[in-house]
Amino acid sequence: MSARRTAAVAKRIVEQFRHDRRTLGLIVVAPLLVLTLVWALWGSPSDTVLDVAVGNEAFARIAAPRLEGAGHRVGGVATYEEVVARVRDGRAHAGVWGGSLPIRIVVEGSDPIRTSGAISALERALLQDTSRPSAVGGVVVEHVYGRPDLSLLDFLAPVLIAFFGFFFMFLLATVSFLRERQSGTLERLLASPLRRGELVLGYLLGFGVFALIQSAVILGYTIFVIQVRYRGSLATIFLVEAVLVLGAVALGLAISSFARNELQAVQFIPIVILPQAFLSGLLVPVEDMHEVLRAIASVLPLTYANEALRAVMIKGYALTDPLVLRDVGVMALFAAAAIAAAVLSIRREVA
């Protein structure tokens, strides 16, 4: 083995990267961005502060001081049905109804992280000693949506379906469109009578066929093979996923203009994909984030896909529900904006 030849190969690699400023920049920026997001989400301890609907006037006189002493916000209601209604409508994170054991804790139930946090926080506040089995046995938890026997996968399936579809289609579109640029196919097409908008829409429709196939495969495997339990319509679930992945394709077409090779295209994953994984509710509920992070989450398409799919699969909402319509509309607007960005990116590169 020749040390000189080995060193020559190593030197070539170093020189190649040294002249690739974009790759060097991404090597530095990407991990710093991810670490900053981790610090922002989990860097400081935070207590669960809940809006709690408390029923039964006699019980409320005992429970309210304990809940307020633990930092929670308490609102009194007259009936058990009103407790459930407030939790269902999102006016309260949880509800408590009592008077005698067992105490009934009502939770929304569509988010396992928020649900478990709310139950633990309320048990700590209501019971003097939760380490005693008899004390813990004095609490009955009721779910407005979902059931206690649902697995963690049943709860996480909506966000995983959205994330995997978005991730793989973004990667496919970015790398494939980059190859079109590198091979000269794009420039030859632009020399034809095709307009840039027609070209982008053509690519979008072509990639869109595979995006829809992938959506159907992911959804079918999740429902029929893994047998994740769900409540809403399969057609509505597929529609939400389809709108999301078409937006991912459009975004990939736009982002590809900023990459000069496939290595750079892959390095955009930490910049584009990971922030959405952190901020869209996949790992931490959006409502529990700092207001700055919530503002960022409000412009991410994956946030609305997660919300819509949870509403359909766990709560059983129909496509006509205002929340689902709003989320699908926002994702469609994002896809339209990404298409416009893709058209402009082609103009900047070849004009």
Side-chain angles (χ1 to χ4, degrees):
M1 178 181 292
S2 171
R4 182 175 60 84
R5 291 194 294 267
T6 302
V9 173
K11 180 180 179 181
R12 186 186 68 81
I13 297 298
V14 171
E15 289 295 323
Q16 178 181 337
F17 276 90
R18 187 172 67 85
H19 292 94
D20 190 349
R21 296 181 179 178
R22 188 167 301 182
T23 296
L24 291 176
L26 289 173
I27 289 174
V28 174
V29 171
L32 294 182
L33 174 62
V34 174
L35 288 173
T36 301
L37 289 174
V38 172
W39 167 78
L41 291 174
W42 297 302
S44 58
S46 59
D47 296 325
T48 303
V49 178
L50 303 172
D51 291 309
V52 186
V54 180
N56 188 319
E57 183 177 353
F59 173 71
R61 287 196 294 268
I62 300 173
R66 294 184 180 180
L67 293 169
E68 291 172 344
H72 305 303
R73 296 179 288 267
V74 177
V77 295
T79 65
Y80 172 75
E81 288 71 22
E82 191 174 352
V83 170
V84 176
R86 286 200 177 192
V87 176
R88 178 185 293 112
D89 298 341
R91 291 176 289 166
H93 295 121
V96 179
W97 181 267
S100 61
L101 291 179
I103 299 170
R104 300 165 75 178
I105 293 179
V106 181
V107 291
E108 195 253 8
S110 65
D111 187 328
I113 299 175
R114 176 175 289 279
T115 297
S116 61
I119 294 171
S120 299
L122 291 178
E123 285 183 342
R124 288 195 302 268
L126 293 172
L127 303 175
Q128 296 294 328
D129 184 5
T130 57
S131 66
R132 292 185 294 124
S134 59
V136 177
V139 172
V140 173
V141 178
E142 300 178 358
H143 294 68
V144 175
Y145 300 109
R147 301 189 306 272
D149 63 336
L150 291 181
S151 68
L152 182 61
L153 180 60
D154 293 326
F155 284 111
L156 293 180
V159 295
L160 294 178
I161 288 173
F163 176 77
F164 288 138
F166 189 90
F167 170 72
F168 288 116
M169 288 315 305
F170 170 81
L171 183 61
L172 173 65
T174 303
V175 174
S176 298
F177 200 55
L178 175 63
R179 288 179 176 175
E180 294 286 277
R181 295 175 185 270
Q182 291 178 325
S183 65
T185 302
L186 185 61
E187 291 188 18
R188 290 194 295 271
L189 289 173
L190 288 170
S192 71
L194 274 173
R195 296 182 178 180
R196 290 178 174 84
E198 295 170 340
L199 179 62
V200 170
L201 287 178
Y203 275 111
L204 180 65
L205 291 175
F207 286 122
V209 171
F210 296 98
L212 295 178
I213 292 174
Q214 185 200 59
S215 299
V217 169
I218 291 176
L219 181 58
Y221 190 84
T222 302
I223 299 299
F224 300 110
V225 178
I226 301 179
Q227 296 186 342
V228 167
R229 286 172 281 189
Y230 68 98
R231 297 182 62 182
S233 165
L234 279 178
T236 302
I237 299 171
F238 178 76
L239 175 63
V240 174
E241 177 76 358
V243 174
L244 175 68
V245 296
L246 289 176
V249 170
L251 181 62
L253 298 182
I255 291 295
S256 68
S257 65
F258 298 99
R260 292 293 175 265
N261 52 58
E262 293 183 3
L263 176 61
Q264 290 182 358
V266 172
Q267 287 173 345
F268 274 104
I269 292 176
I271 305 294
V272 177
I273 300 297
L274 288 186
Q276 302 209 54
F278 280 102
L279 302 179
S280 65
L282 176 63
L283 302 177
V284 176
V286 176
E287 296 81 1
D288 293 344
M289 298 177 187
H290 187 275
E291 58 183 7
V292 175
L293 298 181
R294 288 200 302 270
I296 299 174
S298 67
V299 299
L300 301 178
L302 205 55
T303 301
Y304 297 93
N306 290 344
E307 183 178 54
L309 288 174
R310 275 176 169 158
V312 175
M313 296 182 68
I314 297 178
K315 300 179 182 180
Y317 285 14
L319 178 61
T320 54
D321 185 88
L323 183 143
V324 178
L325 286 175
R326 184 206 67 182
D327 291 343
V328 172
V330 171
M331 288 189 291
L333 288 175
F334 171 82
I339 291 172
V343 174
L344 293 176
S345 71
I346 293 177
R347 179 177 299 153
R348 285 198 302 268
E349 181 173 340
V350 302

